[in-house]
Amino acid sequence: LFEYASGIFAMERAALEALQAYSDLERGRLRIGASMTVAAYWLPGYVADFAQAHPGISLSLTSANTQTIAENLLACEVDIALVEGPVEDERIESRPWREEPLLIVAPPDSPLAKEAGVTVARLSQATWVVREPGSGTREVMNRWLDKLGIQPARLIEAGSTEAVIQTVAAGGGVSMVPRVSSADQIALGKVVMLTLPGVQLTRQLYRLRLPRRPLSPAALAFEAMIATD
């Protein structure tokens, strides 16, 4: 009963905010929640463009793992939710947003880095640096490892994609990371990309919605902006 009541009051707050927003977007508030990689690499340009186009809208961007962002959406603490992994919750509607390439990276002095093409067996012998439970990146990596038949010899957990890449660069092991977040470290020679012959790694990014929650004019405008690219 408490959970239902909390949801009702959260929906009431959302309804009041929608009524307070002008359809011409002269005033209002937009709260965006996103998984860490999405917030750090995909959204800054959109947020800057939206702020310039609608100076009367108050903007905030919350960054957390996928599970936390989904919980924030259910509590109506964010208006827009963009995440890195699928969300299994019947109360939430997940819509594909964009597809993102993934890479397997290793330290430049790793024996794996000297191989033209790595094998599943060799990757199973390696230590893998992974995100924490609840992360969309961790969930997608687990699915790929299962699909490829890779059983890591050891796992090291890190709390962000940046921490994962830095741990790999320091010699901690190998990992599977988004290309967009590893490009700088690859260019600097801090990590190298491994090639698994015949395999193209990708993941789907998602937009989350509450089916019965109406979106404010600001949220609708932002969704239209990110849908056109």
Side-chain angles (χ1 to χ4, degrees):
L1 180 60
F2 174 78
E3 290 180 1
Y4 282 114
S6 297
I8 290 171
F9 287 123
M11 293 287 283
E12 181 186 25
R13 290 197 303 272
L16 289 173
E17 290 172 4
L19 290 173
Q20 292 168 357
Y22 291 106
S23 60
D24 57 6
L25 301 179
E26 289 184 358
R27 291 179 54 190
R29 179 173 62 164
L30 179 61
R31 300 163 301 177
I32 305 166
S35 299
M36 295 179 182
T37 303
V38 177
Y41 295 97
W42 291 107
L43 286 185
Y46 290 117
V47 171
D49 289 346
F50 190 89
Q52 185 174 6
H54 308 290
I57 302 296
S58 174
L59 285 169
S60 66
L61 175 58
T62 299
S63 175
N65 66 31
T66 294
Q67 181 178 336
T68 300
I69 294 301
E71 292 169 356
N72 290 346
L73 180 66
L74 287 169
C76 293
E77 294 173 356
V78 297
D79 308 303
I80 299 289
L82 299 164
V83 298
E84 303 162 1
V87 173
E88 303 297 335
D89 192 310
E90 61 183 10
R91 297 169 294 178
I92 295 176
E93 180 182 77
S94 297
R95 298 183 177 185
W97 177 40
R98 66 170 69 229
E99 197 170 74
E100 179 177 56
L102 301 173
L103 303 176
I104 299 176
V105 294
D109 59 353
S110 166
L112 291 172
K114 300 176 175 59
E115 300 178 11
V118 294
T119 64
V120 167
R122 292 282 285 134
L123 290 173
S124 293
Q125 296 168 0
T127 296
W128 281 73
V129 187
V130 301
R131 287 285 304 278
E132 78 286 356
S135 161
T137 300
R138 173 73 175 270
E139 178 65 23
V140 171
M141 179 188 291
N142 287 344
R143 293 188 179 191
W144 268 114
L145 293 179
D146 290 343
K147 182 177 180 178
L148 296 171
I150 298 172
Q151 298 180 337
R154 182 187 180 193
L155 297 179
I156 298 175
E157 289 187 359
S160 69
T161 299
E162 288 73 19
V164 167
I165 296 171
Q166 292 296 336
T167 302
V168 171
V174 303
S175 190
M176 186 183 299
V177 296
R179 184 174 65 187
V180 67
S181 60
S182 56
D184 289 345
Q185 296 300 312
I186 291 174
L188 292 170
K190 301 293 186 180
V191 299
V192 296
M193 179 179 65
L194 302 182
T195 301
L196 192 57
V199 177
Q200 184 175 4
L201 302 171
T202 61
R203 71 174 176 182
Q204 184 71 54
L205 304 181
Y206 293 90
R207 290 186 290 172
L208 305 183
R209 276 188 176 179
L210 299 182
R212 297 184 180 180
R213 178 185 176 184
L215 293 180
S216 69
L220 288 170
F222 190 83
E223 280 213 342
M225 175 182 284
I226 65 175
T228 56
D229 188 5

